[in-house]
Structures are given as structure tokens and as C-alpha cells.
């Protein structure tokens, strides 16, 4: 309320100063015709000025700021996938009985177009096959996530991540999976219901992780094609991975 009062007071002061200035102009030159000619002209220009400042300049500035934020977020995404995300993708794909179906759909190649990336995102969005966490070594997954927990927590402290809904959802999902595994002493003798629950948690993590990975690689293909080329040759869904170009 105080802020609105201060704004109203400032508006009254500015209007009063303007009126006083025009009045002084009249007292000095005694020419109301001249005053009203320029007053109407100034008022008419205000609308054009508002258009130029608000509609044009602000949009240009906002677009540039958005580009900077996207670049920062993708730098964070690159760090995340290099440090933990790529390995996690490779570990969790082992949970799926239909991984032979998943891998070809996510086998990103250097010649992929926007339509190919869009098709991959739709595939992930519609991925309903439930993983079976009994197919992988949960103790090894637990050890890996605990090893990366400090790194993930450092990412969560980044203000850019907190403003990025997909990224923050992914990190929270991974932290949730880490805590679920840490809370269980023995992971090799879990009851069937608990295995099903952990599998549901893994499914959520995997869908978020794979979707973010696809979006990140599409950005790289557009802005950093050389880095994209390396990942296209070495990513977890490729049958024969090698950084060496033959």
C-alpha cells in the first residue's frame, strides 16, 4: 500500500511541476496558442514513444535476456549430463524389458532434423512401459547416486535452475530416487510391492531425464554442432560407441 501511495504522490508532483512550467511559459511569453500547439504535439508523440519503448525495445531486450538465460541453462545441462546424466541414462535403460524398442527411437544421429527430435520427444512423452528395477544392480545405482549427490545439490542451489521448471523437476526426482534407495539397507531382497514402487520412481526419473537430454541435444545441434557431433557418436543409446571418426 505504501508503494502505491509513493507512486501516486510522485505522479501528483510531476504533474504539478509540468503545469507550473507551462504557467511560467505563459507568464513570460503570453502566447497560449504556442503552448497548446506544442502540448498537443508532445501528447501525440507519447503514444509513438510508448510503442517504440514498450513494444519494440523491451521485446528486443527481453529476447536477448531470454537467450542469455537459455545459454546459461544449457551450460548447466551440459555439465549435468557430462558429470552424471549420461551415466544415469545408461544405467536406467537396463531396467526396461523393451530397451531394444527404446534405443532405436532415441538413437540420435548427426543428420537428425527438427522433426526427428520432435518425434523422439513424443516417444518419451508416451512411454508407458514400466521399468523393472529388478533388472539392474540397485546397490550400484545407490552408490552412484550417493557419489553424485553433492554435485546435484550444488545444481539445485543455482537460481537459474530454480526458474527452470523441467530442470528443477528432474533434479528433485533424482534426489527423491536417491533418498528412497538410501533409506533401504538391503536392496537385493525387496518385496514385490516395494520393487514396483521403486520402478515407478525410476520411470518418472527416466522420462524427465530422457526428455531433457533430447531438448539439450537439439540445442547443441543448432548452436554447438561440434559438441553435438561428439555426443552423437558416444551417447548411451548408440549400438557401437566411439569418439574416433572412421
Amino acid at each position: 500500500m505504501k508503494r502505491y501511495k509513493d507512486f501516486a504522490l510522485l505522479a501528483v508532483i510531476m504533474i504539478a511541476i509540468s503545469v507550473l512550467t507551462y504557467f511560467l511559459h505563459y507568464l513570460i511569453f503570453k502566447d497560449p496558442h504556442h503552448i497548446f500547439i506544442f502540448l498537443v504535439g508532445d501528447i501525440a508523440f507519447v503514444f509513438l514513444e510508448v510503442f517504440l519503448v514498450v513494444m519494440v525495445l523491451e521485446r528486443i531486450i527481453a529476447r536477448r535476456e531470454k537467450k542469455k538465460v537459455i545459454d546459461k541453462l544449457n551450460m548447466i545441462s551440459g555439465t549435468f549430463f557430462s558429470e552424471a546424466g549420461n551415466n544415469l541414462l545408461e544405467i536406467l535403460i537396463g531396467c526396461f524389458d523393451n530397451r531394444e524398442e527404446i534405443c532405436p527411437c532415441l538413437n540420435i544421429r548427426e543428420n537428425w532434423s527438427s522433426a526427428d527430435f520432435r518425434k523422439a520427444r513424443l516417444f518419451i512423452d508416451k512411454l508407458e512401459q514400466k521399468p523393472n528395477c529388478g533388472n539392474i544392480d540397485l546397490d550400484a545405482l545407490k552408490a552412484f547416486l550417493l557419489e553424485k549427490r553433492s554435485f546435484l545439490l550444488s545444481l539445485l542451489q543455482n537460481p537459474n535452475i530454480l526458474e527452470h521448471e523441467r530442470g528443477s523437476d528432474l533434479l528433485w526426482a533424482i534426489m527423491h530416487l536417491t533418498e528412497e534407495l538410501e533409506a533401504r539397507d538391503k536392496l537385493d531382497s525387496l518385496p514385490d510391492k516395494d520393487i514396483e514402487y521403486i520402478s515407478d520412481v525410476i520411470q518418472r526419473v527416466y522420462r524427465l531425464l530422457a526428455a531433457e537430454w533430447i531438448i539439450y541435444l537439439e540445442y547443441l545441434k543448432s548452436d554447438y554442432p561440434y559438441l553435438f557431433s561428439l555426443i552423437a557418436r558416444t551417447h548411451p543409446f548408440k549400438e557401437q560407441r566411439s569418439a574416433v571418426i572412421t
Side-chain angles (χ1 to χ4, degrees):
M1 182 64 71
K2 184 178 182 301
R3 184 177 63 182
Y4 291 118
K5 287 182 178 179
D6 292 342
F7 178 79
L9 178 61
L10 180 62
V12 170
I13 292 173
M14 292 295 103
I15 293 172
I17 292 174
S18 180
V19 171
L20 180 60
T21 303
Y22 278 115
F23 181 68
L24 289 174
H25 185 283
Y26 173 74
L27 291 177
I28 295 171
F29 298 104
K30 304 294 185 178
D31 189 0
H33 179 71
H34 181 272
I35 292 175
F36 281 105
I37 287 177
F38 281 93
L39 178 62
V40 173
D42 290 342
I43 293 175
F45 183 72
V46 165
F47 300 102
L48 180 59
E49 188 175 21
V50 168
F51 172 77
L52 291 174
V53 173
V54 177
M55 302 298 292
V56 179
L57 293 180
E58 280 197 3
R59 288 194 177 187
I60 293 173
I61 294 172
R63 189 178 297 114
R64 289 181 178 177
E65 290 298 321
K66 184 178 179 181
K67 180 67 166 58
K68 290 181 181 178
V69 171
I70 291 174
D71 288 341
K72 289 180 181 179
L73 285 172
N74 280 291
M75 287 179 64
I76 296 171
S77 294
T79 304
F80 164 74
F81 282 108
S82 296
E83 183 67 23
N86 289 332
N87 289 333
L88 192 56
L89 278 171
E90 187 170 9
I91 293 171
L92 296 185
I93 191 63
C95 294
F96 291 88
D97 295 326
N98 66 332
R99 54 185 174 273
E100 291 81 8
E101 175 188 348
I102 296 175
C103 287
C105 295
L106 302 182
N107 184 15
I108 291 176
R109 298 180 177 86
E110 294 189 51
N111 62 350
W112 267 32
S113 64
S114 298
D116 295 315
F117 283 103
R118 185 166 56 252
K119 187 184 300 182
R121 290 198 303 269
L122 289 174
F123 175 80
I124 288 297
D125 290 340
K126 296 179 180 179
L127 182 62
E128 297 180 355
Q129 176 70 33
K130 281 196 173 183
N132 180 5
C133 63
N135 291 342
I136 64 171
D137 185 347
L138 290 178
D139 287 303
L141 174 60
K142 175 181 175 180
F144 172 78
L145 291 174
L146 290 176
E147 178 188 350
K148 302 298 181 182
R149 178 154 61 182
S150 297
F151 168 70
L152 296 175
L153 287 173
S154 69
L155 291 182
L156 279 171
Q157 294 172 0
N158 191 303
N160 290 314
I161 287 291
L162 295 178
E163 295 177 5
H164 181 52
E165 185 176 351
R166 292 195 319 269
S168 58
D169 285 348
L170 170 58
L171 290 176
W172 281 118
I174 295 174
M175 293 303 299
H176 175 218
L177 175 59
T178 304
E179 292 176 4
E180 290 284 359
L181 296 178
E182 186 183 21
R184 291 160 173 78
D185 295 328
K186 294 183 178 180
L187 296 172
D188 57 351
S189 58
L190 298 176
D192 292 341
K193 284 189 177 181
D194 203 37
I195 290 177
E196 183 178 355
Y197 173 74
I198 296 296
S199 296
D200 288 340
V201 176
I202 288 176
Q203 183 184 37
R204 180 169 182 266
V205 170
Y206 204 81
R207 290 180 68 174
L208 290 169
L209 182 63
E212 192 64 26
W213 182 73
I214 293 167
I215 292 170
Y216 168 63
L217 287 192
E218 186 172 13
Y219 166 82
L220 286 186
K221 189 176 190 302
S222 172
D223 287 52
Y224 298 96
Y226 294 108
L227 182 54
F228 171 78
S229 174
L230 173 62
I231 297 177
R233 286 177 267 126
T234 59
H235 65 74
F237 302 105
K238 196 172 183 65
E239 291 182 6
Q240 296 179 349
R241 285 172 277 169
S242 175
V244 177
I245 299 176
T246 58

